[in-house]
Amino acid sequence: MIIAVNFSEQSMSLNTIEENQRNSPINDGEEVWLFGYGSLIYLVDFPYLESKPASIKNWSRRFWQGSHDHRGTEEKPGRVVTLIEQLGEVCHGVAYKVESSVFKQLDVREKNGYLRLNIDMSFADGSADQGLVYIATSDNEAYLGEASEYEIAKQICNAEGPSGPNDEYLIELARSLRAMAVEDPHVYEIERHIASIKAL
Ligand code: SIN
């Protein structure tokens, strides 16, 4: 079952920096767990104190968010991952313990529709803690929504932005998930379609 999550009645602007800093302030000096499930798994350009594999319950990773600023452009948006609430599912990723000041940089990186949400995460060693995750809900302007894995692959193959080609995002994510022995049929199926499209 898929449940839509709405943070506000109004649609969000394409720049969520202010909204995150206004609605989700973090105390100075606090150390916070951040759950990463997309590029935050493989592109770690921020300082952290500790990192370990983690998972969150009742969420699925999906390439349903548009990227106009990193892996696409206004004219040709790419596709990147967001989380869809789905009872019974588990999304595996990486948790980083970061100092509060790091969110200034992360809010800029994730500004294209992502809001910080409090989340319970479980660690591979059996322990659990609360932390934050960036999620792009269906009411943000950059949201593209559901499409078949083949359609998503076609769009990814045609998109490129300031951070590089969109297929690099998917390929790096798939490689990292595989290295962590994570099963993610959605990601691997898009990867397979991309390989076939590129072989044509
Ligand atoms: C994340 O990786 O946790 C958020 C989505 C992204 O930056 O790709």
Side-chain angles (χ1 to χ4, degrees):
M1 179 169 54
I2 294 182
I3 303 162
V5 184
N6 282 307
F7 285 93
S8 72
E9 299 273 296
Q10 291 168 347
S11 94
M12 287 184 283
S13 80
L14 279 182
N15 187 333
T16 49
I17 298 173
E18 267 185 29
E19 196 164 342
N20 271 319
Q21 290 173 1
R22 193 177 51 243
N23 297 347
S24 186
I26 303 170
N27 296 329
D28 279 351
E30 206 178 323
E31 292 175 2
V32 182
W33 280 109
L34 167 70
F35 180 77
Y37 58 93
S39 67
L40 289 174
I41 293 182
Y42 65 84
L43 185 61
V44 188
D45 59 356
F46 53 90
Y48 61 92
L49 304 164
E50 188 185 341
S51 90
K52 49 187 177 179
S55 63
I56 53 174
K57 276 197 196 115
N58 298 327
W59 294 95
S60 294
R61 181 178 11 245
R62 290 287 181 272
F63 272 83
W64 291 4
Q65 174 66 2
S67 178
H68 306 79
D69 59 342
H70 281 299
R71 299 290 181 167
T73 59
E74 287 293 330
E75 298 73 36
K76 261 193 188 177
R79 274 187 180 256
V80 290
V81 287
T82 185
L83 292 171
I84 306 301
E85 199 165 17
Q86 215 164 10
L87 291 182
E89 294 297 317
V90 177
C91 177
H92 293 270
V94 176
Y96 305 91
K97 191 179 266 185
V98 296
E99 286 177 357
S100 54
S101 56
V102 177
F103 283 94
K104 243 191 190 146
Q105 171 186 344
L106 290 168
D107 285 351
V108 173
R109 172 169 163 171
E110 303 296 325
K111 69 182 186 320
N112 200 44
Y114 291 86
L115 292 177
R116 287 192 246 117
L117 179 75
N118 291 314
I119 199 99
D120 290 323
M121 56 187 93
S122 306
F123 303 113
D125 60 13
S127 61
D129 210 336
Q130 284 199 318
L132 294 173
V133 63
Y134 283 96
I135 170 170
T137 55
S138 57
D139 58 354
N140 85 84
E141 287 174 21
Y143 191 77
L144 293 175
E146 188 168 3
S148 70
E149 277 79 7
Y150 178 63
E151 287 302 323
I152 292 174
K154 275 204 307 191
Q155 184 171 351
I156 287 177
C157 283
N158 281 314
E160 177 158 9
S163 299
N166 200 177
D167 66 339
E168 183 184 66
Y169 178 108
L170 180 126
I171 290 163
E172 288 299 319
L173 177 59
R175 186 178 296 147
S176 305
L177 294 177
R178 206 170 280 117
M180 296 192 297
V182 170
E183 264 311 306
D184 193 319
H186 172 74
V187 172
Y188 299 143
E189 196 178 331
I190 298 169
E191 186 191 34
R192 268 195 302 278
H193 285 304
I194 287 179
S196 328
I197 292 168
K198 284 172 109 175
L200 287 178

